[in-house]
C-alpha cells in the first residue's frame, strides 16, 4: 500500500491505495468491459473524489481516506460474490457499493433459529440490515426468484416472534390463479388455498422446526393466509410479510398496507417482472413502489440477478430473459 497526502487548491487531502488482485481473469471481472465497473465505482463515490485505475496486478485507488475504505470494501464484496460463482456485472458492483456504504455489520447471522441464516451476497446483506432496522416500519424487497427476498423476511419475522418482539407472524399472499382454476381443485377453501401457501410453510418448517411451527400455528401466533383474509382487520403487534405482491391489484395493495397497526412492521416482497394478474390489470406492487418512494419510515430494496443463490444457471437464465425483454422494447 502506498499513502500520500495531496493538496491542490481547494481539493481535500487525497490518499492512495493499491488493491492487489490474484489473477488477470479476476482483475478483468472487477474492472469490467472497458473498465465500466471501475467507472461506476468512481461515479458512486464521486463525493470522496475517488479515482480507480487498473494497474499491473491490481487496481490503483486514489481519493479521500473514508472513500478509499468504502471502495476497498466494495471490491472485496465483489470478490467474495465472484468466488461463490456470481456472474460479474454492474448489478453486482452496485450492490457491493451499496453494502459498503452501509455502516451496520454486513454479514451478521440471524440467530436463534433452527437453521442459521446469513446473507450470501452484498445485496442480501443490505436487505438484512434494512429488515433489522426498526426505523423502517415498511420495507419493500423486490427482485427475481432465488434472491431470498421472502425467505429472509420470514426469517426475521420468526426471530421477532421467538424473542417476544411481536405477538404474531403473519404471512399473506394473493391466490392468483397462474394457469389453474381454484374451483376445480378438490376440498374446502383451506385445501384449495394451501398449495399457494406451501412455500411459506416450507420456509417456516426449516427455520423453526416442525414441532414449534405447528405449536405456534395452533396458538394463532403464526398465520399464513390469502390477502383477502386481511380485509377489515388491524394488524397490531405483528410482523407482517406480504409475499408475491406483484400479483396484488392496486385496491388490494392499498387495503393490506393500511392494515398496519400499532407496534407492527410490514415487509412487502415481489418480482415486478413476473406479474400474473389477468386482463393486464396494473400491479399494486409497481404502483406502490412509485407513489411511496421516499416516504419517511419506509425503504425500497431492489435485489437483482447478482443476488440469486440458486443454481448458477439461474442467474444466466434471468439475464437472458432480461436481455430479451430489452430487445422487445427497442
Amino acid at each position: 500500500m502506498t499513502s500520500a497526502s495531496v493538496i491542490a487548491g481547494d481539493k481535500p487531502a487525497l490518499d492512495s491505495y493499491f488493491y492487489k488482485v490474484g489473477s488477470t481473469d479476476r482483475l478483468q471481472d472487477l474492472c469490467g468491459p472497458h473498465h465500466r465497473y471501475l467507472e461506476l465505482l468512481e461515479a458512486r463515490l464521486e463525493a470522496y473524489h475517488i479515482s480507480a485505475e487498473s494497474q499491473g496486478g491490481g487496481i490503483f485507488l486514489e481519493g479521500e481516506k473514508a472513500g478509499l475504505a468504502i471502495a476497498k470494501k466494495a471490491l472485496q464484496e465483489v470478490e467474495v460474490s465472484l468466488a461463490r460463482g456470481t456472474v460479474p456485472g454492474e448489478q453486482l458492483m452496485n450492490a457491493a457499493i451499496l453494502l459498503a456504504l452501509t455502516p451496520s455489520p454486513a454479514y451478521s447471522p440471524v440467530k436463534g433459529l433452527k437453521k442459521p441464516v446469513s446473507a450470501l451476497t452484498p445485496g442480501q446483506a443490505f436487505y438484512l440490515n434494512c429488515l433489522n432496522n426498526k426505523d423502517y416500519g415498511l420495507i419493500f424487497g423486490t427482485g427475481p426468484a432465488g434472491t431470498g427476498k421472502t425467505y429472509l423476511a420470514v426469517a426475521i419475522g420468526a426471530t421477532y416472534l421467538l424473542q417476544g418482539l411481536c405477538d404474531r407472524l403473519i404471512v399473506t399472499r394473493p391466490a392468483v390463479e397462474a394457469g389453474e382454476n381454484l374451483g376445480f381443485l378438490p376440498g374446502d377453501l383451506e385445501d384449495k388455498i394451501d398449495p399457494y401457501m406451501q412455500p411459506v410453510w416450507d420456509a417456516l418448517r426449516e427455520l423453526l422446526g416442525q414441532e414449534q411451527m405447528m405449536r405456534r400455528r395452533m396458538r394463532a401466533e403464526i398465520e399464513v393466509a390469502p390477502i383477502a383474509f386481511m380485509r377489515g382487520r388491524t394488524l397490531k403487534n405483528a410482523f407482517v410479510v406480504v409475499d408475491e405482491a406483484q400479483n396484488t391489484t392496486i385496491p388490494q395493495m392499498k387495503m393490506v398496507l393500511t392494515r398496519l397497526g400499532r407496534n407492527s412492521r410490514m415487509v412487502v416482497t415481489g418480482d415486478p417482472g413476473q406479474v400474473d394478474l389477468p386482463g393486464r390489470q396494473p400491479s399494486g406492487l409497481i404502483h406502490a413502489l412509485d407513489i411511496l418512494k421516499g416516504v419517511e419510515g419506509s425503504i425500497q430494496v431492489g435485489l437483482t440477478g447478482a443476488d440469486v443463490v440458486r443454481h448458477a444457471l439461474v442467474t444466466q437464465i434471468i439475464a437472458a430473459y432480461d436481455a430479451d425483454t430489452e430487445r422487445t422494447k427497442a
Side-chain angles (χ1 to χ4, degrees), residues 106-120 124 128 131-132 148 150-156 158-159 203 206-208:
Y107 286 84
S108 297
V110 181
K111 298 178 181 178
L113 300 171
K114 183 177 178 64
K115 176 185 175 181
V117 175
S118 61
L120 297 177
Q124 286 187 354
L128 270 180
L131 291 172
N132 277 314
T150 300
Y151 188 82
L152 294 176
V154 172
I156 295 298
T159 61
E206 189 174 293
L207 293 165
L208 295 172

Side-chain angles (χ1 to χ4, degrees), residues 142-169:
T142 60
T147 52
K149 55 189 182 292
T150 300
Y151 188 82
L152 294 176
V154 172
I156 295 298
T159 61
Y160 264 56
L161 192 61
L162 293 175
Q163 294 171 11
L165 298 175
C166 68
D167 296 336
R168 289 177 297 162
L169 168 59

Side-chain angles (χ1 to χ4, degrees), residues 311-327:
H311 194 287
L313 274 173
V314 175
T315 300
Q316 298 180 53
I317 291 168
I318 291 169
Y321 273 91
D322 287 346
D324 182 66
T325 301
E326 290 303 315
R327 283 194 299 271

Side-chain angles (χ1 to χ4, degrees), residues 15-90:
D15 287 357
S16 62
Y17 179 85
F18 187 72
Y19 184 87
K20 291 183 179 180
V21 181
S23 71
T24 302
D25 288 343
R26 180 52 53 83
L27 182 59
Q28 290 175 346
D29 288 342
L30 286 170
C31 295
H34 309 292
H35 290 190
R36 192 163 68 235
Y37 308 156
L38 293 186
E39 290 174 358
L40 176 61
L41 184 68
E42 290 176 341
R44 293 293 301 274
L45 300 181
E46 184 180 7
Y48 297 96
H49 301 91
I50 291 295
S51 65
E53 181 182 348
S54 174
Q55 290 186 3
I59 298 168
F60 181 75
L61 300 167
E62 187 176 55
E64 295 178 40
K65 187 174 182 180
L68 289 177
I70 295 169
K72 178 184 174 183
K73 183 178 179 182
L75 291 170
Q76 289 172 336
E77 294 296 344
V78 172
E79 286 211 82
V80 168
S81 294
L82 291 173
R84 291 194 180 102
T86 305
V87 177
E90 291 186 21

Side-chain angles (χ1 to χ4, degrees), residues 10-327:
D10 294 331
K11 279 188 176 182
L14 302 182
D15 287 357
S16 62
Y17 179 85
F18 187 72
Y19 184 87
K20 291 183 179 180
V21 181
S23 71
T24 302
D25 288 343
R26 180 52 53 83
L27 182 59
Q28 290 175 346
D29 288 342
L30 286 170
C31 295
H34 309 292
H35 290 190
R36 192 163 68 235
Y37 308 156
L38 293 186
E39 290 174 358
L40 176 61
L41 184 68
E42 290 176 341
R44 293 293 301 274
L45 300 181
E46 184 180 7
Y48 297 96
H49 301 91
I50 291 295
S51 65
E53 181 182 348
S54 174
Q55 290 186 3
I59 298 168
F60 181 75
L61 300 167
E62 187 176 55
E64 295 178 40
K65 187 174 182 180
L68 289 177
I70 295 169
K72 178 184 174 183
K73 183 178 179 182
L75 291 170
Q76 289 172 336
E77 294 296 344
V78 172
E79 286 211 82
V80 168
S81 294
L82 291 173
R84 291 194 180 102
T86 305
V87 177
E90 291 186 21
Q91 293 177 336
L92 178 58
M93 179 61 80
N94 255 322
I97 296 168
L98 200 59
L99 177 60
L101 287 165
T102 305
S104 50
Y107 286 84
S108 297
V110 181
K111 298 178 181 178
L113 300 171
K114 183 177 178 64
K115 176 185 175 181
V117 175
S118 61
L120 297 177
T121 70
Q124 286 187 354
F126 179 73
Y127 182 44
L128 270 180
N129 288 336
C130 294
L131 291 172
N132 277 314
N133 189 337
K134 296 182 180 64
D135 290 339
Y136 299 126
L138 175 62
I139 300 113
F140 289 93
T142 60
T147 52
K149 55 189 182 292
T150 300
Y151 188 82
L152 294 176
V154 172
I156 295 298
T159 61
Y160 264 56
L161 192 61
L162 293 175
Q163 294 171 11
L165 298 175
C166 68
D167 296 336
R168 289 177 297 162
L169 168 59
I170 300 172
V171 185
T172 183
R173 63 192 304 189
V176 170
E177 301 169 353
E180 293 184 83
N181 191 316
L182 286 176
F184 288 101
L185 294 176
D188 57 20
L189 180 60
E190 186 172 347
D191 292 330
K192 293 175 180 181
I193 291 299
D194 266 353
Y196 293 92
M197 304 300 157
Q198 195 57 48
V200 178
W201 288 119
D202 288 344
L204 286 167
R205 187 176 294 106
E206 189 174 293
L207 293 165
L208 295 172
Q210 175 73 15
E211 183 179 343
Q212 179 154 203
M213 182 194 75
M214 292 304 298
R215 184 168 66 249
R216 290 183 181 271
R217 183 181 185 180
M218 293 296 293
R219 294 176 184 167
E221 294 176 6
I222 296 177
E223 179 181 352
V224 178
I227 278 180
F229 287 25
M230 300 297 111
R231 191 174 300 278
R233 302 173 61 182
T234 300
L235 307 176
K236 300 177 182 178
N237 302 312
F239 193 100
V240 186
V241 179
V242 183
D243 187 30
E244 297 289 347
Q246 76 276 3
N247 289 328
T248 60
T249 63
I250 293 175
Q252 282 178 326
M253 178 59 75
K254 179 182 178 183
M255 180 273 291
V256 75
L257 290 177
T258 54
R259 299 307 91 199
L260 196 60
R262 187 177 64 253
N263 298 325
S264 290
R265 300 181 71 209
M266 183 178 288
V267 186
V268 180
T269 68
D271 180 0
Q274 291 291 327
V275 178
D276 295 317
L277 288 168
R280 296 187 178 181
Q281 295 181 75
S283 166
L285 173 61
I286 295 173
H287 179 258
L289 290 171
D290 181 40
I291 67 170
L292 298 178
K293 193 176 297 181
V295 170
E296 187 175 356
S298 71
I299 190 168
Q300 300 181 10
V301 181
L303 299 169
T304 71
D307 300 301
V308 172
V309 292
R310 293 180 178 173
H311 194 287
L313 274 173
V314 175
T315 300
Q316 298 180 53
I317 291 168
I318 291 169
Y321 273 91
D322 287 346
D324 182 66
T325 301
E326 290 303 315
R327 283 194 299 271

